[in-house]
Amino acid sequence: MRYTHLKNSDVDVSQLAVGTWAIGGDSFGENDDAASMSAIRTMLDHGVNLIDTAPCYGNGTSEKVVGNALRGIDRESYLLSTKVGLITSAAGYDRDSSFKNIMREVESSLRNLRTDYIDFYFAHWPDAKTPFSETMCALQLLKEQGKIRHIGVSNFTTEMIEECEKVAQIDVQQPPYSMVDRSSEDLIKWGYERGIDSFTYGSLGAGILSGKFRELPKFEEGDVRGGFYDYFQEPKFSRVQELLKVMDEIAEAHDKPVAQVAVNWSTQKEYVGTALVGVRTDAHAIQNCETFEWELSADEMAKLDAKLDELKIG
């Protein structure tokens, strides 16, 4: 495993992190909780030290699965990341990053995760109804109380982060980033220069960069891959297939799975702190961790970047 020293947080984080949106069981199809718990423990056994979750993943289910998976494991041996302010509702999701709601949600997350403190606590999405100063005051208070250790923001712009920094230090951020979504690259580089390291999500493009989808899939109703991501829509889907041909060549040359090419591409960028990758089986956990037994060459990185620019992907 390779590790990154986070500047503002002053901790070492594995360059691969456990992403747990899928194990909530309400956005990516049904989930086997026992298999997910085993996969999380397998990731830890292979050097991963960061698990990321959120209360809105399955309305608390993901946090509870993570909490159960970590029972009996030394709390100082891993880092926990969760979020606040995105609430599951009948209409979908509501945003509430008010002082009152943050104080309510943190206690729920602590119970779900079976822990006394959260290492990284993120404001999940900007909340237009609540001033950033109110949100940051709440997070700063939780930090002073020892309930959280580091403050993060997810899906915030540079201007929003600068506004938040008037009240509290922002330690980390969580933007999307992968070969099929480079929309936040400038934001990530900007944060890197300021010591705000990035936990990048969507590292495998909801699975499309694993090579699993070679024909346009039809997802079941409620599966976020059918709407949240544009990779599974034309014309982008066909362009990604052309990218996969290059990834196939590189993977074959190293005798490695295509998914490992995608993860190495992200984590070999110096400005990426860690890449969140979803995992629901031991086999996937091991495959993900084996990514760090090798690296893409400079020529291979350049070849992939050139193909992305040619295809206008991301």
Side-chain angles (χ1 to χ4, degrees):
M1 184 53 58
R2 298 192 293 265
Y3 298 86
T4 299
H5 185 75
L6 305 185
K7 293 179 281 297
N8 283 0
S9 305
D10 194 25
V11 295
D12 293 325
V13 168
S14 53
Q15 291 185 4
L16 179 69
V18 183
T20 65
W21 188 2
I23 70 175
D26 65 343
S27 299
F28 292 81
E30 294 184 4
N31 186 70
D32 183 330
D33 291 351
S36 294
M37 288 188 285
S38 180
I40 291 169
R41 291 190 289 265
T42 297
M43 294 280 273
L44 295 178
D45 289 342
H46 285 75
V48 171
N49 70 350
L50 173 64
I51 306 98
D52 178 84
T53 184
C56 66
Y57 300 163
N59 198 20
T61 299
S62 177
E63 285 189 331
K64 291 174 183 176
V65 171
V66 170
N68 288 331
L70 298 173
R71 293 179 70 177
I73 299 176
D74 178 12
R75 180 63 181 87
E76 295 301 314
S77 69
Y78 60 84
L79 300 162
L80 276 177
S81 163
T82 192
K83 311 174 189 72
V84 66
L86 194 62
I87 302 170
T88 306
S89 70
Y93 293 105
D94 293 327
R95 300 184 189 184
D96 186 352
S97 292
S98 65
F99 187 96
K100 180 179 180 180
N101 185 61
I102 289 174
M103 294 302 161
R104 180 191 66 82
E105 280 201 57
V106 72
E107 297 302 332
S108 176
S109 290
L110 289 168
R111 286 194 301 271
N112 288 342
L113 293 167
R114 298 173 178 270
T115 186
D116 295 326
Y117 64 92
I118 295 162
D119 296 285
F120 300 97
Y121 203 42
F122 288 86
H124 203 156
W125 282 88
D127 172 16
K129 303 185 300 296
T130 303
F132 292 133
S133 58
E134 180 177 338
T135 300
M136 290 301 116
C137 280
L139 296 179
Q140 181 63 32
L141 177 59
L142 292 177
K143 188 173 182 179
E144 292 169 2
Q145 292 175 340
K147 293 183 178 181
I148 69 173
R149 290 188 170 179
H150 308 289
I151 296 172
V153 292
S154 179
N155 305 299
F156 278 49
T157 65
T158 55
E159 293 78 13
M160 292 173 180
I161 294 173
E162 287 177 331
E163 189 67 23
C164 291
E165 287 183 312
K166 294 177 181 179
V167 178
Q169 174 177 292
I170 303 301
D171 298 309
V172 287
Q173 63 172 326
Q174 191 168 141
Y177 189 64
S178 71
M179 281 192 278
V180 291
D181 187 352
R182 296 179 291 160
S183 60
S184 297
E185 190 166 270
D186 288 343
L187 170 66
I188 294 169
K189 291 178 179 178
W190 174 87
Y192 177 74
E193 294 300 322
R194 298 170 68 96
I196 304 172
D197 290 287
S198 294
F199 295 7
T200 58
Y201 70 83
S203 307
L204 290 178
I208 200 169
L209 291 173
S210 70
K212 175 182 178 181
F213 300 99
R214 303 290 180 159
E215 295 183 358
L216 196 61
K218 292 182 179 180
F219 295 111
E220 295 181 3
E221 186 176 353
D223 193 313
V224 297
R225 288 172 292 188
F228 186 81
Y229 301 104
D230 65 352
Y231 329 133
F232 299 103
Q233 302 170 23
E234 294 293 4
K236 193 166 187 177
F237 182 82
S238 292
R239 293 204 298 268
V240 174
Q241 298 309 305
E242 293 301 309
L243 170 64
L244 283 169
K245 291 178 182 178
V246 177
M247 295 175 67
D248 286 337
E249 293 174 4
I250 294 173
E252 184 175 351
H254 290 274
D255 193 25
K256 301 293 184 182
V258 173
Q260 293 186 5
V261 175
V263 175
N264 263 330
W265 179 88
S266 289
T267 56
Q268 286 180 224
K269 303 286 187 179
E270 67 171 358
Y271 43 82
V272 172
T274 185
L276 308 181
V277 178
V279 59
R280 293 200 273 186
T281 68
D282 287 336
H284 284 155
I286 293 170
Q287 177 180 296
N288 290 340
C289 293
E290 287 178 345
T291 299
F292 297 87
E293 295 178 356
W294 66 287
E295 290 188 345
L296 294 165
S297 68
D299 287 344
E300 289 167 336
M301 290 284 285
K303 186 175 183 179
L304 289 166
D305 287 339
K307 193 65 178 179
L308 289 170
D309 291 339
E310 175 194 330
L311 295 169
K312 295 181 173 21
I313 294 177

